[in-house]
């Protein structure tokens, strides 16, 4: 029996009657019963298994993995354990085929492991990325004629536990929304390969018109900036460091001292005090501009941080953007730049702390990438529904498998007769 306070920060789900009145702290943005189901997206993943001896459909196995991850599963063993805890009606709802003699009730650990190891990783990432992205659009603006502007961060992450003596760890490159950490695209890159070579292929299949893509210095490449603005009709915010020496010299030499003192935003927490000031300066293209394509504004950000008992640290960061002064105010730009810096504390941090990704020893085939994709799906679905704390939410539904179904748009209708 779950304690009542376990339901305080999770979405109120319709799968079963609540044991207590709905909590006031639950922040659900939409009725989960109206959410699209995840199954049609997973149907697009090709089945790599031989037709001979196949009992469970691939979509059903992937739905078991998705539901188990929403319930906090960290390993392939825990994925199979979710199926063992689920009743026959729940397994039927996700498409598990029942055996007449009842000796095949749920996919075993070996069945799930073999399927994940042989999957088409690109197809799975595309399917899992499309589902939360479409759902995020629907919940954000369900009636508007066009989708709202998205702020997307491009960030890489290593799967440290996937390394072996004869192979390096896997490395993933992802595109995530800022406000809600929804992973809309993901691709695997070589552990010894520069991420910048995979940035354009990652973003190419999707439409980004009107969106803003934020980069750190590693992905600040002039060709990518031109491609985003010209081919994708998107905007960018890119951090300029010494890897772009000409542009960095030009921006740092601008007359920043002649601008009025910028307002400072301060915050305290976690044993430290942080403050940030931002200045923007229009780039006059008719006077030569700067050596970075499509740049309209040069930005100077001056963050300061003081840890408790330590001296204050200061730095100066120079981003550039294709947005002009009429499209984004300094305060908005500061929030977007801050959002990119804090993206590490959203999805990657949750994957490591709550789902134990760095400690995971899954390494065979495409299984490490598949497990990361299911973690992205769980985080995006829960955050979109308003979950404040992912760890608390997964603990609350771990022992009640039916609560994971409506989160992924799968509906469970219990048999009232009990037969």
């Amino acid at each position: 029996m779950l304690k009542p306070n376990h339901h305080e920060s999770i979405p109120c789900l319709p799968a079963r009657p609540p044991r207590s009145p709905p909590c006031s702290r639950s922040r659900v943005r939409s009725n989960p019963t109206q959410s699209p189901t995840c199954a049609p997206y997973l149907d697009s993943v090709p089945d790599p298994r031989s037709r001979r001896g196949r009992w469970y459909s691939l979509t059903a196995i992937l739905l078991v993995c998705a539901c188990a991850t929403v319930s906090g599963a960290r390993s392939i063993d825990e994925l199979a354990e979710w199926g063992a805890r689920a009743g026959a009606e729940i397994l039927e709802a996700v498409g598990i085929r029942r055996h007449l003699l009842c000796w095949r009730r749920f996919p075993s650990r070996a069945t799930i492991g073999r399927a994940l190891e042989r999957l088409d990783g690109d197809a799975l990432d595309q399917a899992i990325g499309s589902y939360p992205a479409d759902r995020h659009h629907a919940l954000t603006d369900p009636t508007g004629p066009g989708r709202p502007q998205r702020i997307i961060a491009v960030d890489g992450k290593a799967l440290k536990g996937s390394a072996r003596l004869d192979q390096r760890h896997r490395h993933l490159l992802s595109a995530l929304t800022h406000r809600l950490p929804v992973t809309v695209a993901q691709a695997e890159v070589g552990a010894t390969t520069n991420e910048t070579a995979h940035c354009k292929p990652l973003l190419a299949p999707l439409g980004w018109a009107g969106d803003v893509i934020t980069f750190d210095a590693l992905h600040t490449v002039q060709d990518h900036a031109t491609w985003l603005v010209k081919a994708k009709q998107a905007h960018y915010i890119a951090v300029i460091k010494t890897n772009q020496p000409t542009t960095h010299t030009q921006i740092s030499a601008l007359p920043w001292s002649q601008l009025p003192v910028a307002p400072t935003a301060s915050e305290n927490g976690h044993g430290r005090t942080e403050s940030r000031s931002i200045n923007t300066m229009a780039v006059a293209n008719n006077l030569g501009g700067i050596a970075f394509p499509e740049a309209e504004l040069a930005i100077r950000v001056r963050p300061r941080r003081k840890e408790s008992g330590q001296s204050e640290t200061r730095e100066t960061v120079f981003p550039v953007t294709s947005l002009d002064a009429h499209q984004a105010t300094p305060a908005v730009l500061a929030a977007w730049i801050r959002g990119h810096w804090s993206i590490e504390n959203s999805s990657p941090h949750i994957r490591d702390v709550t789902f134990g990704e760095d400690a995971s020893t899954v390494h065979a085939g495409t299984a490490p990438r598949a497990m990361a994709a299911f973690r992205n799906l769980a985080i995006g679905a829960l955050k979109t529904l308003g979950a404040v704390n992912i760890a608390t939410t997964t603990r609350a539904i771990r022992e009640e498998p039916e609560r994971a179904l409506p989160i992924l748009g799968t509906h469970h209708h219990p048999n009232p007769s009990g037969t």
Side-chain angles (χ1 to χ4, degrees):
M1 181 78 66
L2 294 174
K3 296 181 180 180
N5 61 357
H6 283 187
H7 298 276
E8 290 184 355
S9 59
I10 66 171
C12 297
L13 305 177
R16 49 180 288 275
R19 299 178 181 176
S20 58
C23 54
S24 59
R25 291 175 56 189
S26 181
R27 303 176 183 176
V28 181
R29 294 181 176 84
S30 177
N31 185 352
T33 59
Q34 299 175 353
S35 300
T37 178
C38 185
Y41 294 84
L42 298 178
D43 284 338
S44 63
V45 181
D47 195 336
R49 301 171 299 168
S50 171
R51 295 184 62 87
R52 183 177 181 180
R54 186 189 306 175
W55 183 262
Y56 305 109
S57 70
L58 181 64
T59 300
I61 294 176
L62 298 181
L63 273 176
V64 167
C65 296
C67 291
T69 308
V70 166
S71 302
R74 294 185 168 199
S75 63
I76 297 179
D77 288 322
E78 294 183 10
L79 298 181
E81 289 170 4
W82 183 91
R85 291 194 303 270
E89 294 177 350
I90 299 174
L91 294 175
E92 185 178 357
V94 298
I96 293 299
R97 180 185 174 190
R98 298 181 62 182
H99 194 274
L100 294 177
L101 300 179
C102 297
W103 63 274
R104 283 184 175 178
R105 197 175 71 84
F106 59 88
S108 66
R109 191 264 182 225
T111 299
I112 295 176
R114 285 194 297 265
L116 296 185
E117 291 170 11
R118 300 165 59 188
L119 282 176
D120 183 338
D122 292 333
L124 180 65
D125 279 327
Q126 183 178 0
I128 287 184
S130 300
Y131 173 68
D134 293 347
R135 190 172 183 179
H136 176 258
H137 294 163
L139 296 180
T140 305
D141 187 16
T143 58
R147 59 179 176 81
Q149 183 185 59
R150 295 179 299 178
I151 315 301
I152 307 293
V154 176
D155 188 47
K157 187 181 185 304
L159 306 180
K160 298 179 181 179
S162 63
R164 287 295 178 272
L165 292 176
D166 57 343
Q167 70 178 25
R168 295 178 63 89
H169 62 260
R170 309 296 179 85
H171 198 89
L172 302 176
L173 183 64
S174 305
L176 305 91
T177 57
H178 272 220
R179 190 173 61 87
L180 294 175
V182 175
T183 303
V184 296
Q186 180 174 270
E188 183 173 352
V189 302
T192 59
T193 304
N194 196 327
E195 290 181 8
T196 57
H198 296 267
C199 185
K200 189 185 291 187
L202 174 74
L203 302 177
L206 303 178
W208 304 101
D211 295 337
V212 179
I213 315 297
T214 62
F215 298 116
D216 56 18
L218 177 64
H219 299 106
T220 299
V221 179
Q222 297 189 15
D223 178 61
H224 294 171
T226 303
W227 174 76
L228 279 173
V229 176
K230 296 292 187 181
K232 290 296 186 177
Q233 290 78 47
H235 294 285
Y236 67 83
I237 300 176
V239 175
I240 302 296
K241 290 188 177 179
T242 53
N243 61 334
Q244 298 282 339
T246 303
T247 308
H248 187 269
T249 301
Q250 290 176 331
I251 294 181
S252 58
L254 292 174
W256 298 106
S257 59
Q258 300 178 14
L259 296 178
V261 177
T264 301
S266 302
E267 59 184 27
N268 299 319
H270 304 286
R272 62 178 179 266
T273 301
E274 295 183 359
S275 63
R276 295 170 300 279
S277 62
I278 183 170
N279 291 105
T280 61
M281 185 177 295
V283 178
N285 293 322
N286 58 342
L287 299 179
I290 60 174
F292 202 83
E294 311 299 332
E296 296 290 339
L297 288 176
I299 307 169
R300 185 184 68 172
V301 183
R302 308 182 75 177
R304 300 181 180 183
R305 172 181 293 188
K306 187 179 187 309
E307 300 282 350
S308 178
Q310 300 182 12
S311 59
E312 183 181 74
T313 59
R314 305 181 182 184
E315 64 176 328
T316 302
V317 182
F318 294 105
V320 294
T321 179
S322 59
L323 297 161
D324 58 38
H326 301 285
Q327 294 173 307
T329 65
V332 171
L333 291 172
W336 290 346
I337 295 171
R338 171 71 172 171
H340 184 87
W341 291 342
S342 62
I343 202 71
E344 182 65 29
N345 293 325
S346 54
S347 182
H349 180 75
I350 295 172
R351 282 161 55 180
D352 286 337
V353 176
T354 302
F355 293 100
E357 184 166 270
D358 277 349
S360 174
T361 58
V362 177
H363 62 279
T366 57
R369 179 179 180 180
M371 294 292 291
F374 287 121
R375 295 176 188 122
N376 290 333
L377 174 62
I379 295 169
L382 291 172
K383 285 292 186 180
T384 301
L385 288 176
V388 178
N389 188 303
I390 299 296
T392 303
T393 304
T394 55
R395 285 195 303 268
I397 64 178
R398 180 170 298 155
E399 300 303 326
E400 299 180 78
E402 70 276 7
R403 296 183 66 106
L405 270 60
I407 294 176
L408 298 174
T410 302
H411 307 298
H412 167 231
H413 302 288
N415 186 352
S417 64
T419 60

